[in-house]
Amino acid sequence: MNRIPLIQRYSLFINIPAYSKLVTLNEGYTPLIPLPHIAIHLGGSFHLYAKYEGLNPTGSFKDRGMTVAISEAAGREVQTVICASTGNTAASAAAYASRAGQKAVVLIPEGKVAAGKLAGAVAYGAQVIQIAGSFDDALEMVVQISEHHPIALVNSLNPYRLEGQKTAAFEICDELGKAPDWLCLPVGNAGNITSYWMGFKQYNEYKASGLPHFLGVQAAGSAPLVLGHPVEHPETVATAIRIGKPARGEQALQAAEESGGKIIAVSDEKILEMQRALASEGIWVEPASAAGLAGLAEEIKQGAIDPSGKDIVIVCTGHGLKDPDIIVKSMPAPQKITAEIAALEDLILGS
Ligand code: F0G
């Protein structure tokens, strides 16, 4: 099928300057996959869907924002783009910059970026720089350097990133025929929850599609928006959202409040449990991407959300292949047999 690039598909709703030069990898158009067994397991009679953003070209939702940010930068003949990243933004920036003929420089926190993301950034040809510090330190550095040099910042502080990421909200409304009752998603630097809210509000104004309640979910060890203060040394197994000072924290809190929802924290154990639950329905996501479901499960358990009869969407932001180590480390070694049919029969049928 010939897919119209998101920038054209939703041109009415995306604020991008006329001078921009389209840079696209056919991002978006991700499926909304029903999760009937998990819904039953959570104890409700309701419609639960995963918006599977891991199926974007570089394996995460970042591509929706990057097509717009890089297209705008290309229109200005920008030569170099830069970002700080826990990994996914780095891979996405690297891919789109390469396609545009730009150089990408990515700053990552040393030792805290999952293998699939680092490999992606390298494969797409970015200059990858590890810093002895956190994502928050890296973000401060790239903001400063982009203020003083002709280097375009492509973190979600760049408003064009948000313009692109709104498209996920449009797709959900298009597919369901309206906004869901709840949208549950992980929150790190808080660009995505901000974009979704902008998108749902805009669509509602034009199409009366309604507004969801938001359940933003942080990891307990990296939950500045729940605690109400920055976290100096954030820690979580969900390295994508290992962020202590979210750049768009205020907007995230506002979005959650305006939507009649909230931002909560969940344990790493719950995140990993829900990563396994999603895999049991055929959807392998990286740990951060299971946070939305983990939050929903906790809220239903505590009686804080009554899902009955509702449409609930969890946003699965990145593919499981991004972070293979988390699975590989905990799995038993594969069983080994001789290359004989009798040995195979013995093993799987029993003797
Ligand atoms: N899920 C995944 C897989 C992510 O990579 C991120 C952010 C988020 C959720 C949270 O989104 O920051 O907009 O609140 N990753 C950024 C990065 C920080 O550098 O790749 P957010």
Side-chain angles (χ1 to χ4, degrees), residues 53-54 56 59-65 88 161 165 192 317-318:
E53 290 289 275
N56 273 291
S60 85
F61 70 97
K62 306 285 180 180
D63 297 342
R64 295 181 183 274
N88 282 323
R161 281 276 312 279
Q165 286 174 207
N192 208 31
T317 45

Side-chain angles (χ1 to χ4, degrees), residues 291-309:
L293 180 60
L296 177 66
E298 293 287 18
E299 288 288 287
I300 293 176
K301 193 167 136 197
Q302 288 165 18
I305 291 180
D306 175 9
S308 306

Side-chain angles (χ1 to χ4, degrees), residues 59-62 83-91 107-108 117 135 155-156 161-162 165 185-195 217-218 239-243 246 252 286-290 315-319 322:
S60 85
F61 70 97
K62 306 285 180 180
C83 66
S85 181
T86 56
N88 282 323
T89 302
L107 265 68
I108 57 171
K117 304 177 188 181
F135 167 86
N155 279 105
S156 58
R161 281 276 312 279
L162 303 194
Q165 286 174 207
L185 77 173
V187 177
N189 210 26
N192 208 31
I193 188 169
T194 303
S195 310
V217 186
Q218 302 206 286
T239 52
I241 52 172
R242 185 176 166 273
I243 294 175
E286 64 169 287
S289 303
V315 183
C316 292
T317 45
H319 202 286
K322 291 277 191 172

Side-chain angles (χ1 to χ4, degrees), residues 9 37-38 56 174 176 199 218 267 273 277 308:
R9 182 182 183 197
H37 298 108
I38 295 177
N56 273 291
D174 285 345
L176 291 180
Q218 302 206 286
S267 67
E273 184 191 327
S308 306

Side-chain angles (χ1 to χ4, degrees), residues 334-348:
Q335 293 169 301
K336 204 171 161 186
I337 52 168
T338 55
E340 284 154 28
I341 203 71
L344 181 61
E345 282 171 348
D346 258 8
L347 190 69
I348 64 176

